[in-house]
Amino acid sequence: MNQKALSTLEYTKIIAQLEEYASTSMGKKRCRELVPMNDLQEIKTAQAQTSDALARILRKGSISFSGAKDIRDSLLRLKVGSSLSIAELLRVSALLRVALRASDYGKRDHEPGEEDDALDAMFRELAPVVSLAKEIDRCILSEEEIADDASNGLRSVRRAMKTAAEKIRTQLNSLVVNSRTYLQDGVITMRNGRYCVPVKAEHKSNVPGMVHDQSSSGSTIFVEPLSVVKLNNELRELEIREQKEIEAVLAALSNQTCDHLDELTLDLELIGELDFIFAKASLAMDQNASRPLFNDEHIVRIRQGRHPLLDRKKVVPIDVELGKNFDLLVITGPNTGGKTVCLKTVGLFTLMGQAGLHIPALDRSQLSVFTEVFADIGDEQSIEQSLSTFSSHMTSIVSILAKADADSLCLFDELGAGTDPTEGAALAIAILNYLHDRGIRTMATTHYSELKIYALSTNFVENACCEFDVETLRPTYRLPIGIPGK
């Protein structure tokens, strides 16, 4: 699908809304990459997934996939034999917890003879390796802390560290009591990972030991008394042993994680896909949208369609038909009557539907598969390219006519406008004739009376008008088909 149509019809704004409903980076990426499809079966599958996710939300409430992070880099590191960090292992555990939550959410009681819906297989394929998640959570308390019970060696070394630290504090507490006059404060502090006491600079000779730091004013020096140097050395050795034990724990957990690479890869893929599908369903629920029926006969029948980017309290629903009894629809009516909105609604619904999104219209609305949607809507005047409004529109129209075929949907706003009315009307009729002769489904808005007459006098071409209340002199925004506008 051409990028100009996606932008002109504001499909990109719908995608931005959709992305807000995804909870994971994987799901958001899928939302951003969503483009209309051309294969009817793929479209029906995507629509069924959206519909079944919406049914589950209405039946069981919404589900959040938040907490699941993209761990593909970590899985690649495991494949080459690297150990994972604490943070990486916690992300693995979080992914498995989300997989378990999603698996439980996806379970449902089937009625006798009831077939699977479009999501049952995905939920069943989730592999929330509970034993691995429990082991990671048992060993790792937070990103800064490994549990004492993560291994026997770690428990033993930490017990020894606690004993050594208590001996040091006992020694230093005794020194603080006996040498209080030499100290700046009666406290024990840490400098460079070693226990020290704050000594007044003028009394440093009275407290023999190793100087590790000095206050900014120079009045205090931090001394490691000789009486605790050996104990501090022992504690430092124990800290090195502790780090090695932690590395061993992380290596063991990484090896266990490596044993489940296939399950984790599958979980990551499925959670991203399910997050994306449920984002589509959440958007549909917010828009009060329904699943359109799709055909490959280029028939469009929208029932009470509401443009999704307009204020839902103010927007007037429209009924639009195209492709069954006529392949070309000429829409006339006053300014601000909603003609452009009608075009954009049909174009945007087509793009949304082919992307697997529900549309804000009544049930049994019909859409067709178009390989391309072309839209010439809005003022594209270009000062840089020395193009007038008319010239820019003609440049766009020439490009569309060169590319459009019987599988295209063409939308033209104010066809032939911006030049002499007689010439503009003749040009517009010639363009519509060209499209009509090739069976290209087309909608065009106009002010020209000649086009109304053309629609009345040509087979398979129909008039429609944006209704206008002559008593209040206000548009009603309804779109009666078969009646030319004033």
Side-chain angles (χ1 to χ4, degrees):
M1 201 67 69
N2 66 89
Q3 287 298 318
K4 182 173 182 291
L6 299 183
S7 175
T8 300
L9 297 171
E10 299 176 292
Y11 173 83
T12 49
K13 292 183 179 179
I14 298 297
I15 293 303
Q17 290 182 357
L18 175 65
E19 189 180 347
E20 292 179 6
Y21 287 100
S23 330
T24 68
S25 61
M26 300 85 71
K28 288 181 182 293
K29 183 172 183 289
R30 281 171 166 79
C31 291
R32 288 192 299 272
E33 294 173 348
L34 179 62
V35 293
M37 297 169 281
N38 293 331
D39 183 273
L40 181 59
Q41 192 53 53
E42 287 181 5
I43 293 169
K44 287 183 176 180
T45 298
Q47 286 286 350
Q49 290 173 342
T50 306
S51 185
D52 291 338
L54 180 58
R56 287 172 185 262
I57 291 174
L58 294 174
R59 186 170 61 248
K60 301 178 71 172
S62 59
I63 177 175
S64 172
F65 299 90
S66 61
K69 307 292 184 186
D70 189 345
I71 60 168
R72 279 176 293 190
D73 289 345
S74 299
L75 298 182
L76 287 173
R77 292 182 60 231
L78 284 174
K79 285 182 180 179
V80 297
S82 297
S83 288
L84 301 185
S85 66
I86 293 176
E88 287 177 305
L89 286 165
L90 286 176
R91 285 196 286 272
V92 170
S93 171
L95 177 72
L96 292 174
R97 284 199 301 274
V98 172
L100 178 61
R101 188 167 70 231
S103 179
D104 290 341
Y105 177 89
K107 293 174 182 174
R108 63 189 186 96
D109 296 326
H110 285 62
E111 298 293 331
E114 181 185 2
E115 295 184 356
D116 282 355
D117 69 11
L119 304 178
D120 278 325
M122 284 192 216
F123 280 116
R124 276 199 296 268
E125 286 178 7
L126 285 168
V129 191
V130 177
S131 58
L132 175 60
K134 284 185 176 178
E135 182 64 9
I136 292 173
D137 291 343
R138 182 187 72 81
C139 294
I140 302 177
L141 303 179
S142 70
E143 289 199 19
E144 292 80 32
E145 187 176 6
I146 299 288
D148 291 351
D149 293 333
S151 71
N152 291 332
L154 186 59
R155 185 191 308 112
S156 174
V157 73
R158 283 187 173 169
R159 190 181 297 125
M161 287 171 65
K162 186 178 180 181
T163 300
E166 287 174 353
K167 287 181 180 178
I168 292 170
R169 279 192 291 268
T170 299
Q171 288 267 23
L172 292 179
N173 282 330
S174 175
L175 186 147
V176 167
V177 170
N178 297 327
S179 307
R180 184 68 184 86
T181 56
Y182 307 136
L183 304 181
Q184 196 72 263
D185 296 295
V187 296
I188 299 169
T189 185
M190 295 285 289
R191 285 296 185 274
N192 301 322
R194 300 178 78 86
Y195 285 94
C196 300
V197 290
V199 179
K200 295 176 182 178
E202 62 269 25
H203 293 298
K204 64 180 181 181
S205 59
N206 298 105
V207 183
M210 298 175 62
V211 176
H212 284 281
D213 200 1
Q214 186 177 20
S215 67
S216 56
S217 65
S219 60
T220 304
I221 58 174
F222 296 92
V223 177
E224 177 187 4
L226 291 176
S227 58
V228 297
V229 168
K230 184 178 179 182
L231 289 172
N232 263 331
N233 288 341
E234 289 178 8
L235 183 59
R236 185 66 188 135
E237 290 172 5
L238 289 170
E239 287 172 351
I240 294 170
R241 278 181 54 194
E242 179 197 30
Q243 191 56 43
K244 289 182 178 179
E245 290 293 340
I246 288 173
E247 289 171 2
V249 169
L250 296 180
L253 290 174
S254 297
N255 287 334
Q256 291 180 50
T257 304
C258 193
D259 292 338
H260 298 285
L261 271 177
D262 291 342
E263 293 97 321
L264 288 166
T265 303
L266 181 60
D267 284 344
L268 192 63
E269 180 68 25
L270 288 172
I271 286 172
E273 186 67 20
L274 286 168
D275 185 28
F276 161 64
I277 291 169
F278 275 86
K280 293 194 297 178
S282 297
L283 178 66
M285 187 166 68
D286 179 64
Q287 294 178 343
N288 194 23
S290 66
R291 177 180 178 176
L293 303 176
F294 262 88
N295 63 77
D296 53 6
E297 300 169 3
H298 301 147
I299 295 173
V300 175
R301 181 170 177 264
I302 295 171
R303 303 172 64 243
Q304 297 291 287
R306 307 175 310 280
H307 195 288
L309 298 176
L310 296 180
D311 186 341
R312 66 189 68 187
K313 295 178 182 178
K314 296 179 181 179
V315 64
V316 177
I318 58 170
D319 295 305
V320 184
E321 291 186 30
L322 181 68
K324 185 175 183 181
N325 300 318
F326 50 90
D327 55 31
L328 200 153
L329 185 64
V330 177
I331 304 173
T332 51
N335 287 327
T336 73
K339 299 191 301 298
T340 303
V341 171
C342 291
L343 286 187
K344 285 192 169 184
T345 300
V346 174
L348 182 56
F349 278 14
T350 297
L351 298 177
M352 289 174 64
Q354 290 185 212
L357 299 172
H358 286 2
I359 59 172
L362 292 185
D363 286 340
R364 302 190 310 283
S365 291
Q366 295 181 47
L367 294 175
S368 186
V369 181
F370 294 99
T371 55
E372 275 289 1
V373 175
F374 296 104
D376 180 58
I377 298 172
D379 186 357
E380 298 181 19
Q381 183 176 9
S382 173
I383 296 174
E384 293 175 357
Q385 298 178 18
S386 300
L387 291 177
S388 66
T389 299
F390 176 75
S391 299
S392 66
H393 277 298
M394 286 313 302
T395 301
S396 175
I397 289 168
V398 167
S399 174
I400 291 171
L401 295 180
K403 298 173 184 175
D405 59 23
D407 292 321
S408 302
L409 173 65
C410 292
L411 308 170
F412 298 102
D413 191 25
E414 299 297 348
L415 185 61
T419 187
D420 175 81
T422 304
E423 294 177 0
L427 185 61
I429 291 172
I431 292 168
L432 293 180
N433 253 330
Y434 178 88
L435 295 164
H436 174 52
D437 291 345
R438 284 155 182 75
I440 298 172
R441 301 300 188 262
T442 305
M443 289 178 64
T445 69
T446 183
H447 283 299
Y448 295 138
S449 297
E450 290 89 342
L451 266 67
K452 304 175 193 176
I453 297 168
Y454 167 76
L456 286 169
S457 59
T458 309
N459 291 332
F460 303 108
V461 181
E462 188 60 89
N463 270 306
C465 68
C466 285
E467 196 176 64
F468 191 76
D469 189 329
V470 293
E471 292 184 5
T472 62
L473 299 181
R474 291 179 180 275
T476 67
Y477 300 103
R478 287 192 290 268
L479 186 74
I481 291 179
I483 304 170
K486 297 179 180 179

